Amino acid sequence: MKVTEVLDPFLPFCRRLLPSRLAGLSLALLKSTALEAAILAGHLLLYPTGLTPERRPPVPLAPSAEPDDGPARLPVRAAPPVVLLHGFIDNRSVFVLLRRSLAQHGGQRVESLNYSPLTCDIRTAAELLGRHLEEICERTGSSRVDIVGHSLGGLIARYYVQRLGGDLRVRTLVTLGTPHSGTRVAPLADAHPIVRQMRPGSEVIEELTRPAPGCRTRFVSFWSDLDSVMEPVETARIDHPDLLATNVRVTGIGHLALPVHPAIATGILQALDETHPEERIAGGLTVA
């Protein structure tokens, strides 16, 4: 994907100034930063559209209830609904492109949830998520759901799965740039209680290290080598002996690009496929 063609004339000059390995890293970081800035600008424009909860479309009638003489319909994939959960001080507008990709290519029913920007406790947010999922399952007739969580959204979903018995409801949890072991970035933000809960060694992070025998949920974690919100970047990996987890290393993009980039959307579609997704995506993704 070429998003920074304007930089191309300067590449030979940069390579002369820097050692080859450092030059490659610096150029990748420069491109990633330019892409992050473009995504941020676009997201700020879309942000107001995601402030209100999305409208819930009616559940389609079962095939047996449709008129016999109705128009032919494409088959709908028999898969759990996909629930999208945004990150800190964000809203569902961050998933505009991913939602479209999942709906068009995955065939699943896709819903986006907003949690309040005033949320101050991951545990409380996880309990609320559980109530939302119960409502979704009752409304759609599905016994389980898949979740895609960006950043803090992935941590809330993992807490629900691992500590509140949510593995009964969640088939697959995909996390995008989620601080599974805590992040040290932006120390001045510790005034916010939910940021303190995302620090290494916090009570919430410590709870997620405890044994979780028999957990039924499959985890797929996408982590990027250029994610400036994860400090260190490896904190976005899931390393737990009781969890069935696949960690997918992404090369070349930053934190904001994870729920937007088409290559990540393809990886998510593969992760939500029931048939051995780890065999297709475990090798990592190079997207820039």
Side-chain angles (χ1 to χ4, degrees):
M1 184 185 70
K2 294 184 178 180
V3 296
T4 53
E5 289 86 347
V6 68
L7 300 174
D8 291 346
F10 300 97
L11 299 188
F13 177 71
C14 293
R15 292 192 180 101
R16 285 196 298 271
L17 287 179
L18 297 170
S20 59
R21 184 174 179 181
L22 182 59
L25 177 62
S26 300
L27 292 173
L29 182 60
L30 185 60
K31 290 184 176 182
S32 172
T33 303
L35 179 59
E36 291 282 281
I39 291 173
L40 177 60
H43 187 39
L44 289 175
L45 292 175
L46 289 174
Y47 192 90
T49 67
L51 291 173
T52 57
E54 69 177 3
R55 297 175 60 185
R56 307 296 185 203
V59 178
L61 294 175
S64 59
E66 295 178 355
D68 293 338
D69 57 349
R73 297 178 182 270
L74 292 175
V76 177
R77 184 181 176 191
V82 180
V83 178
L84 307 178
L85 198 61
H86 62 79
F88 183 55
I89 61 172
D90 210 338
N91 63 40
R92 61 185 179 85
S93 63
V94 72
F95 292 120
V96 168
L97 297 179
L98 177 59
R99 181 192 178 97
R100 182 180 303 167
S101 180
L102 291 175
Q104 289 180 346
H105 303 291
Q108 298 100 326
R109 181 183 181 90
V110 183
E111 299 198 11
S112 302
L113 296 181
N114 275 356
Y115 57 87
S116 171
L118 302 179
T119 298
C120 291
D121 184 68
I122 288 174
R123 302 177 185 91
T124 301
E127 292 174 358
L128 181 60
L129 171 63
R131 292 197 290 272
H132 280 305
L133 297 185
E134 291 298 320
E135 184 274 330
I136 290 172
C137 288
E138 181 179 359
R139 174 162 42 85
T140 62
S142 177
S143 62
R144 307 192 80 186
V145 302
D146 293 330
I147 298 179
V148 178
H150 180 226
S151 198
L152 174 60
L155 202 61
I156 291 171
R158 181 180 171 187
Y159 192 94
Y160 166 69
V161 166
Q162 197 174 325
R163 302 296 300 165
L164 301 179
D167 61 318
L168 292 172
R169 282 292 185 215
V170 180
R171 184 189 68 158
T172 302
L173 170 57
V174 178
T175 65
L176 311 173
T178 289
H180 290 288
S181 300
T183 178
R184 299 186 182 91
V185 76
L188 296 180
D190 279 353
H192 198 294
I194 211 164
V195 173
R196 293 198 297 271
Q197 290 184 336
M198 289 190 287
R199 295 302 190 202
S202 73
E203 291 184 3
V204 167
I205 297 300
E206 190 277 331
E207 285 185 58
L208 294 178
T209 66
R210 296 176 187 173
C215 183
R216 301 166 179 82
T217 299
R218 183 176 69 231
F219 296 83
V220 181
S221 175
F222 289 83
W223 66 283
S224 174
D225 59 352
L226 295 178
D227 190 335
S228 60
V229 178
M230 299 297 104
E231 175 59 40
V233 293
E234 291 83 5
T235 191
R237 294 172 49 90
I238 296 178
D239 294 306
H240 192 294
D242 293 333
L243 301 182
L244 178 61
T246 300
N247 293 297
V248 183
R249 183 177 185 266
V250 179
T251 301
I253 63 173
H255 190 73
L256 297 178
L258 287 168
V260 174
H261 201 285
I264 306 299
T266 299
I268 293 171
L269 284 166
Q270 294 174 352
L272 297 181
D273 189 336
E274 290 186 82
T275 309
H276 308 297
E278 63 276 3
E279 294 180 1
R280 294 190 296 274
I281 61 176
L285 292 171
T286 301
V287 297

